[in-house]
Amino acid sequence: MTVTSVRTELYSQVQHFYAHQMQALDGGRFEDYAATFTEDGTFQHSPGAEPAVGRAGIVAELVRFHERFADDPVQRRHWFNHIALEEQADGSIRSTVYALVVTVRPGGVPVIAPSCVVHDVLEASGDGVLLRSRLVTHDQLS
Amino acid sequence: MTVTSVRTELYSQVQHFYAHQMQALDGGRFEDYAATFTEDGTFQHSPGAEPAVGRAGIVAELVRFHERFADDPVQRRHWFNHIALEEQADGSIRSTVYALVVTVRPGGVPVIAPSCVVHDVLEASGDGVLLRSRLVTHDQLS
Amino acid sequence: MTVTSVRTELYSQVQHFYAHQMQALDGGRFEDYAATFTEDGTFQHSPGAEPAVGRAGIVAELVRFHERFADDPVQRRHWFNHIALEEQADGSIRSTVYALVVTVRPGGVPVIAPSCVVHDVLEASGDGVLLRSRLVTHDQLS
């Protein structure tokens, strides 16, 4: 296996980017989550879904998705593992990451489902990392 | 979202620090775990608990907690995810980390609970990282 | 606790190596997985098993292991956590890592078992990382 040589600095930067990004999502800070995408970034949370486009579109989709939980004091935690990066010819970075969703309700025990794979395209610059696109596939639908 | 720019070296160092620290805890090496705190470090394993203070105090609290498992061949593994760092004005580093506790008994299957968030304050120097304080919150108590 | 000081670059490199390696294994790319070992590398997936030796031997063992799942559309995901490295006197690196196996079938929910510890010996050079040996212990057998 040829592991694409990726700069150490980039690898740490992407890990840290994901940590802040997913804590924003799980904390209900949808504007912060959307701001991790490029201006015209796309977010598709399952292969069958219509992608949300642009930061305002991503916020709208997240608000819509969470409406059904308005009266449900659920806490979600998106866990990531095995971040595999590949630099693309156009300078972007393909990132393939395992994900598990942990769901907890008051007094309950964690439910860990679904198991997913996150397919990201990232842009990295001196200013940091931004997400050009995210598609999430679900193992139970394979 | 403004992701605090944290030096690559620090980010790797903190990840590695946690790996050794939590393997020490799960391996029952409480002195080693306590030694990852500053001399006057505090450890509060749930918001309702009295914090243990200082290395000897932390060891005493861990011994006390584990007494009930003296005849129970349980193996715990504390998993961490999404280490989000923020440098503070005083030079310390705030670290917010997801945690899941995996518990296994001989012949059994893993039980994964509770889901927690670890709130650390770290001190980093040329000599390495030390923990000034740790507070663990539990999602099912939120 | 004295945390062995490991170069930042090496730590990121090992994390990234594992990400690609385990995505290869879970993707059924056994040749790619075997190529992450040295020519004479050994792979022992449980303490009671005979170690597979060399890349061809590792591929053969993986093919044999997966024959029983030929008609079973199962997706496995090996999660890793808390990679703790220790540099050895001979220049190799001992790596001790937590692992959980996530198993998903179509329409099903993830089953998370067993909980393991991966005991690796790695060789790092300017060309990258290779695995000299891997032994996996299982918590429920302890």
Side-chain angles (χ1 to χ4, degrees):
Chain A
M1 183 173 63
T2 305
V3 174
T4 311
S5 172
V6 168
R7 285 162 289 136
T8 296
E9 190 179 340
L10 176 64
Y11 197 68
S12 280
Q13 199 178 17
V14 171
Q15 291 177 309
H16 203 194
F17 169 80
Y18 283 143
H20 281 281
Q21 180 194 45
M22 299 312 289
Q23 291 195 10
L25 179 63
D26 295 333
R29 293 181 279 115
F30 300 150
E31 302 274 355
D32 288 347
Y33 179 77
T36 66
F37 287 77
T38 58
E39 289 286 354
D40 59 348
T42 60
F43 172 50
Q44 196 171 357
H45 54 63
S46 57
E50 195 70 23
V53 181
R55 293 174 179 169
I58 291 168
V59 171
E61 171 59 20
L62 290 171
V63 169
R64 193 198 60 72
F65 178 81
H66 286 83
E67 271 165 7
R68 75 183 89 165
F69 302 106
D71 299 324
D72 181 353
V74 64
Q75 175 66 63
R76 264 189 211 81
R77 306 263 177 225
H78 290 80
W79 281 56
F80 276 16
N81 204 240
H82 286 317
I83 301 167
L85 305 184
E86 289 172 275
E87 297 195 81
Q88 308 294 297
D90 70 352
S92 68
I93 300 133
R94 187 171 296 277
S95 174
T96 307
V97 187
Y98 291 178
L100 281 169
V101 185
V102 177
T103 301
V104 188
R105 290 186 167 82
V109 293
V111 174
I112 304 180
S115 170
C116 300
V117 179
V118 177
H119 306 266
D120 282 349
V121 178
L122 299 164
E123 292 180 8
S125 71
D127 293 336
V129 174
L130 287 175
L131 199 41
R132 188 187 288 178
S133 68
R134 166 165 290 175
L135 166 64
V136 184
T137 55
H138 295 241
D139 286 334
Q140 85 281 5
L141 302 178
S142 299
Chain B
M1 182 175 62
T2 304
V3 173
T4 311
S5 173
V6 168
R7 284 161 290 134
T8 296
E9 190 179 340
L10 176 63
Y11 197 67
S12 280
Q13 198 177 18
V14 171
Q15 291 176 310
H16 203 194
F17 169 81
Y18 282 143
H20 280 282
Q21 181 195 44
M22 299 312 287
Q23 291 195 11
L25 178 63
D26 295 333
R29 292 180 279 114
F30 301 149
E31 302 274 355
D32 287 346
Y33 178 77
T36 66
F37 287 77
T38 58
E39 289 288 351
D40 59 348
T42 60
F43 172 50
Q44 197 170 355
H45 54 63
S46 55
E50 195 69 23
V53 181
R55 291 174 181 169
I58 290 168
V59 171
E61 171 59 20
L62 290 172
V63 168
R64 193 198 60 72
F65 177 82
H66 285 83
E67 270 166 7
R68 75 183 89 165
F69 303 106
D71 299 323
D72 181 353
V74 63
Q75 175 65 62
R76 265 188 210 81
R77 306 263 177 223
H78 290 80
W79 281 57
F80 277 17
N81 204 240
H82 286 318
I83 301 166
L85 304 183
E86 289 172 276
E87 296 194 82
Q88 308 294 298
D90 69 353
S92 68
I93 300 133
R94 188 172 296 277
S95 174
T96 308
V97 187
Y98 290 178
L100 280 170
V101 185
V102 178
T103 301
V104 188
R105 289 185 168 85
V109 294
V111 174
I112 305 180
S115 170
C116 300
V117 179
V118 177
H119 306 266
D120 283 347
V121 177
L122 300 165
E123 293 180 6
S125 71
D127 293 337
V129 174
L130 286 174
L131 199 41
R132 188 186 289 180
S133 68
R134 166 165 291 176
L135 166 65
V136 184
T137 55
H138 295 241
D139 287 333
Q140 85 281 4
L141 302 178
S142 298
Chain C
M1 182 174 60
T2 305
V3 174
T4 311
S5 172
V6 168
R7 285 161 289 137
T8 296
E9 190 178 340
L10 176 63
Y11 197 67
S12 280
Q13 197 177 18
V14 171
Q15 291 177 310
H16 203 194
F17 169 81
Y18 283 143
H20 280 282
Q21 180 194 44
M22 299 312 288
Q23 291 195 10
L25 179 62
D26 294 334
R29 292 181 279 115
F30 301 149
E31 302 274 355
D32 288 347
Y33 178 77
T36 66
F37 286 77
T38 58
E39 289 287 352
D40 59 348
T42 61
F43 172 49
Q44 197 171 355
H45 55 64
S46 57
E50 195 70 23
V53 181
R55 293 175 179 168
I58 291 167
V59 171
E61 173 59 21
L62 290 172
V63 168
R64 192 198 61 72
F65 177 82
H66 285 83
E67 270 166 9
R68 75 183 90 164
F69 302 107
D71 299 323
D72 181 354
V74 63
Q75 176 65 63
R76 264 189 210 80
R77 306 263 178 224
H78 290 81
W79 280 56
F80 277 17
N81 205 239
H82 286 319
I83 300 166
L85 304 184
E86 289 173 274
E87 297 194 81
Q88 307 295 297
D90 69 354
S92 68
I93 300 134
R94 189 170 295 278
S95 174
T96 307
V97 187
Y98 291 178
L100 280 169
V101 185
V102 177
T103 300
V104 188
R105 290 185 168 84
V109 294
V111 175
I112 304 180
S115 169
C116 300
V117 179
V118 177
H119 306 266
D120 282 349
V121 178
L122 299 165
E123 293 181 7
S125 71
D127 294 336
V129 175
L130 286 174
L131 199 40
R132 189 186 289 178
S133 68
R134 165 165 291 175
L135 165 65
V136 184
T137 54
H138 295 241
D139 287 333
Q140 85 280 6
L141 302 178
S142 298

